[in-house]
Amino acid sequence: MTPTQLRAYSAVVRLGSVKLAAAQLSVSESAVSLHIGQLRRELGDQLFSRTAAGLAFTPGGLRLASRATELLGLQDITVLEVSAAGRGRRLLRVGASSLFAEHAAPGLIELFAGRAADLDVELSVRDPGTFEALLASRTVDIAIGPPPAVLDPAFAGRPVMNYRIVVVAGPDHPVVALRPSAAQLRDQTWLLGPSAAATVGAVPDLLRRLGVPEKNQQIFQSNAAAVEEAKRGRGLTPALSFAVAPDVRNGSLVQLPGAQCAVEASWYALTLADQGAPSAAAELSRFASTPRAIQAMMRGAGAKVGHFRPSVHVTLWS
């Protein structure tokens, strides 16, 4: 695969359209389609398909999207770091799981960055399985997502927030009339956000526990897009309970009953344990578990552009 192919694929992922990707890259639509076709043939994977709610990714397609944006974003990250240093500003690089980045990070970053006028925050979506390696290589300053199975002494960890994942479906979906067994759940179409492609986390754990095969999984550009498809009765989706509570109350979604349709989980902040960790990272780790921060995360307030400068990793949803 070539950088040109990855750039075309990344643009399609980010914009959700070959036409828009071609316009942004100043090339023809046929050129973008050619690059995507070459990637599909070389990797032996369809990568994505089109649905009414946008692009639905295969697990392999989402992994490629993450890797492509990571490679192509290195130059942008370097420019941002050099520019911030030249202007006498501090840069805090936050790596986060996709579920946290989409639902909780905007409110947290808005509140935290507003406390310091000289602070720029860069948020990137990362696989929680890579958190320790990213911190050790100083690629990120703090990582927030699922807790590590075992905390290495080289890292400092702090609980941030407990949350609950529930399985929901549209009111017209046949499964809502049942108390579905694990086998019945396993056979449904599952509408998933990017968190499903991670190696660890509440959503991957739920899918593994139920034994949902990859052929029954459709992965969308965001968890919100998966929820919208579920409202149309096109499948089941695991979602944050506080995020879908209004939809459950108004009847546009139904929460499925049973312990197998719910997962209790938590988010955890990791930093380096030594003094090399930036003070802003240690402060964010402490601040994230305060009542004010938790309220901001659950409220989901949008981040102000002046303080929130997402890297290309975040653009899996637009």
Side-chain angles (χ1 to χ4, degrees):
M1 65 184 74
T2 67
T4 301
Q5 292 169 348
L6 293 178
R7 192 168 291 108
Y9 182 68
S10 181
V12 171
V13 170
R14 185 171 63 254
L15 300 172
S17 158
V18 170
K19 181 178 181 179
L20 293 176
Q24 184 183 79
L25 297 172
S26 299
V27 299
S28 67
E29 292 180 42
S30 60
V32 173
S33 296
L34 176 64
H35 294 316
I36 299 300
Q38 289 170 334
L39 285 172
R40 283 170 165 162
R41 287 192 295 273
E42 180 176 349
L43 299 174
D45 193 303
Q46 185 63 20
L47 303 180
F48 63 83
S49 59
R50 294 175 178 82
T51 72
L55 302 182
F57 291 87
T58 65
L62 195 63
R63 293 186 185 105
L64 176 63
S66 177
R67 183 64 69 187
T69 52
E70 181 178 352
L71 293 171
L72 296 172
L74 286 176
Q75 182 178 5
D76 292 338
I77 291 171
T78 302
V79 171
L80 179 61
E81 289 175 344
V82 173
S83 175
R87 291 182 286 113
R89 298 184 64 84
R90 293 179 296 154
L91 177 65
L92 176 62
R93 299 165 301 178
V94 181
S97 65
S98 64
L99 199 65
F100 182 87
E102 183 175 349
H103 290 283
L108 174 64
I109 289 174
E110 178 187 38
L111 189 62
F112 181 75
R115 294 152 47 100
D118 66 336
L119 182 66
D120 289 327
V121 180
E122 173 199 285
L123 174 67
S124 58
V125 177
R126 305 286 186 165
D127 186 330
T130 67
F131 278 179
E132 292 186 357
L134 292 168
L135 287 165
S137 65
R138 311 299 173 108
T139 303
V140 300
D141 304 313
I142 182 172
I144 306 178
V150 178
L151 182 62
D152 189 296
F155 304 95
R158 183 184 292 266
V160 171
M161 175 180 169
N162 295 325
Y163 65 92
R164 192 168 191 247
I165 293 290
V166 296
V167 179
V168 294
D172 297 326
H173 195 287
V175 80
V176 303
L178 309 172
R179 189 177 182 88
S181 65
Q184 289 171 318
L185 292 170
R186 187 163 50 244
D187 291 338
Q188 303 300 316
T189 296
W190 284 75
L191 312 169
L192 307 166
S195 56
T199 54
V200 296
V203 174
D205 287 348
L206 174 65
L207 297 173
R208 282 192 291 266
R209 189 179 74 190
L210 293 172
V212 179
E214 285 196 352
K215 66 183 179 65
N216 289 351
Q217 300 179 28
Q218 293 184 17
I219 302 178
F220 291 82
Q221 292 166 292
S222 68
N223 297 286
V227 169
E228 288 304 308
E229 282 289 272
K231 289 179 182 178
R232 299 184 178 99
R234 293 172 181 166
L236 314 182
T237 188
L240 282 166
S241 60
F242 68 78
V244 297
D247 294 316
V248 172
R249 284 195 297 267
N250 67 31
S252 58
L253 286 172
V254 176
Q255 181 178 327
L256 301 187
Q260 60 195 355
C261 294
V263 177
E264 303 292 337
S266 61
W267 286 312
Y268 206 80
L270 278 180
T271 60
L272 288 173
D274 61 33
Q275 295 302 311
S279 59
E283 177 59 24
L284 177 58
S285 178
R286 290 190 294 269
F287 178 73
S289 61
T290 64
R292 285 185 64 211
I294 291 173
Q295 289 174 5
M297 288 186 280
M298 293 182 68
R299 188 175 66 245
K304 295 178 181 177
V305 174
H307 289 297
F308 178 51
R309 302 187 176 196
S311 76
V312 71
H313 304 289
V314 188
T315 56
L316 286 176
W317 49 86
S318 57

